[in-house]
């Protein structure tokens, strides 16, 4: 039998988590479901990790230009594995604090697993760890905040070469000698500036 909630939210991202707290503040019982890490795209592989790495890139840039300010520092070396370690620590801290805020709210129940509809008002949540039977919950209000993921474009030959996405590039442990970026939009340019400041040669390929 399905447990009833006043509202169900799928996803703990930048829409789902604040909505859960707002509904709970109104006195409603809320279930929020997450199959990955709490925080969603922004905290896990979007804004938080990239801005953390951008900050490291800015330090490298300023250190390399220190003589312009009358300060001599010597040769600048970027240890990418340490940049990654710092990035991971910030992401862990943000995710943990967001999870804690959800768990500590008495009107919010965090269910960790993958959700699927079994009828228009009922969801079944299955633990990705394989522990426990699937749980069914129902509500007249179900909000989907399922985030996003990189889409690999259909480019001839792309599948034959090692390529990175906006997610996997965050896990590099060394600065590439040459980075080719397909797309000159905000995300592409952010990574272009970041890795240029880390010391990579960068080429941007833009159709428009």
């Amino acid at each position: 039998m399905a447990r009833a909630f006043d509202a169900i939210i799928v996803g703990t991202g930048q829409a789902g988590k604040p909505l859960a707290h707002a509904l709970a503040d109104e006195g409603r019982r809320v279930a929020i479901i997450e199959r990955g890490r709490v925080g969603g795209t922004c905290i896990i592989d979007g804004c938080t990790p990239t801005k953390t790495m951008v900050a490291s890139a800015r330090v490298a840039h300023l250190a390399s230009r220190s003589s312009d300010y009358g300060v001599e520092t010597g040769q600048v070396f970027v240890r990418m594995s340490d940049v990654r370690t710092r990035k991971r620590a910030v992401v862990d801290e943000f995710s943990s604090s967001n999870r804690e805020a959800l768990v500590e709210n008495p009107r919010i129940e965090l269910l960790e697993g993958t959700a699927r509809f079994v009828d228009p008002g009922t969801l079944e949540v299955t633990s990705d760890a394989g522990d426990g039977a699937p749980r069914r919950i129902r509500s007249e209000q179900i909000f989907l905040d399922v985030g996003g993921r990189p889409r690999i474009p259909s480019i001839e030959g792309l599948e034959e070469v090692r390529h990175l996405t906006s997610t996997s590039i965050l896990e590099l442990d060394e600065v590439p000698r040459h980075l080719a970026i397909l797309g000159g939009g905000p995300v592409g340019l952010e990574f272009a500036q970041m890795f240029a400041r880390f010391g990579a040669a960068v080429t941007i390929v833009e159709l428009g």
Side-chain angles (χ1 to χ4, degrees), residues 9 15-28 30 105 108:
I9 302 167
K17 186 178 68 68
L19 177 60
H21 286 292
L23 294 174
D25 288 345
E26 294 176 358
R28 303 169 73 178
V30 181
N105 193 312
I108 298 175

Side-chain angles (χ1 to χ4, degrees), residues 46-67:
C47 318
T48 298
T50 56
K51 299 308 176 289
T52 302
M53 293 174 68
V54 162
S56 294
R58 182 173 184 271
V59 171
H61 174 65
L62 290 175
S64 67
R65 293 188 56 216
S66 64
S67 61

